[in-house]
Amino acid sequence: MILALDYGEKNTGIAISDEEEIFSFPFEVWPTFDLKKNPQKLAQQIRNFSKITEIIIGLPKNLKNEDTPQTQKAREFHDLIQKSFPEIKVSMVDERLTSAQLIKNIHSRGGSASKMRATKDKYEAALLLEFYLEWKKNEKERIDS
């Protein structure tokens, strides 16, 4: 199972894959303030997912692939997670298109992005994980062929 964390200024969205690493599921939203204040609580929450083999964290960049003010904070968060879980692969994954894709998905279903404000972070994490799972599948197919 892969755990995806979309680290944000206010909230961190959580998504998880199935055991076969085919599907992505939005899980929860954790207040980022609580995670910074109590990293042990974060580590314990992650340990509750007993079958995690990999953790991915969104890497925020602008459309020119340049760092943003949030980029360094996400890297520091990555380092904290890696230090807490040295036995698990922890990677950063480009998250540039997750917000735009989520808004597009919501509008295509006739929904309103403003109504999802409280839960959007977990859906962004799920999209991040979905993109990663697809990339991973394509890489495996490329290597196998």
Side-chain angles (χ1 to χ4, degrees), residues 2-143:
I2 299 174
L3 181 71
L5 303 170
D6 182 28
Y7 183 80
E9 192 68 34
K10 294 182 180 177
N11 293 308
T12 297
I14 315 301
I16 192 157
S17 76
D18 60 320
E19 288 186 32
E20 290 79 28
E21 298 178 359
I22 297 170
F23 300 106
S24 167
F25 302 98
F27 183 68
E28 285 184 340
V29 176
W30 295 337
T32 298
F33 174 78
D34 289 348
L35 303 180
K36 287 191 232 178
K37 188 173 96 176
N38 190 351
Q40 295 79 16
K41 180 180 177 185
L42 168 64
Q44 185 53 49
Q45 287 176 305
I46 291 174
R47 280 190 179 81
N48 288 337
F49 298 101
S50 59
K51 297 179 181 179
I52 297 297
T53 58
E54 187 173 356
I55 299 171
I56 62 166
I57 299 169
L59 179 63
K61 297 265 195 155
N62 67 21
L63 292 177
K64 295 180 181 178
N65 198 28
E66 300 167 334
D67 287 0
T68 68
Q70 191 65 18
T71 305
Q72 185 56 36
K73 294 174 186 175
R75 285 191 173 117
E76 290 168 4
F77 183 68
H78 166 272
D79 294 345
L80 172 70
I81 298 297
Q82 186 65 78
K83 187 182 277 188
S84 299
F85 299 94
E87 72 284 2
I88 297 175
K89 178 182 176 186
V90 180
S91 305
M92 297 200 80
V93 176
D94 186 344
E95 69 170 33
R96 279 180 281 178
L97 301 177
T98 56
S99 295
Q101 184 64 45
L102 178 63
I103 290 169
K104 183 178 175 182
N105 291 354
I106 292 167
H107 289 303
S108 72
R109 293 183 177 108
S112 167
S114 62
K115 291 181 181 176
M116 287 189 62
R117 185 161 287 142
T119 60
K120 75 174 185 59
D121 298 294
K122 69 181 177 182
Y123 293 103
E124 288 174 347
L127 270 176
L128 177 69
L129 182 53
E130 184 179 317
F131 293 154
Y132 180 73
L133 292 172
E134 186 66 26
W135 173 83
K136 198 171 174 180
K137 176 184 161 199
N138 290 339
E139 280 297 298
K140 182 179 180 340
E141 288 173 359
R142 187 183 65 78
I143 291 169

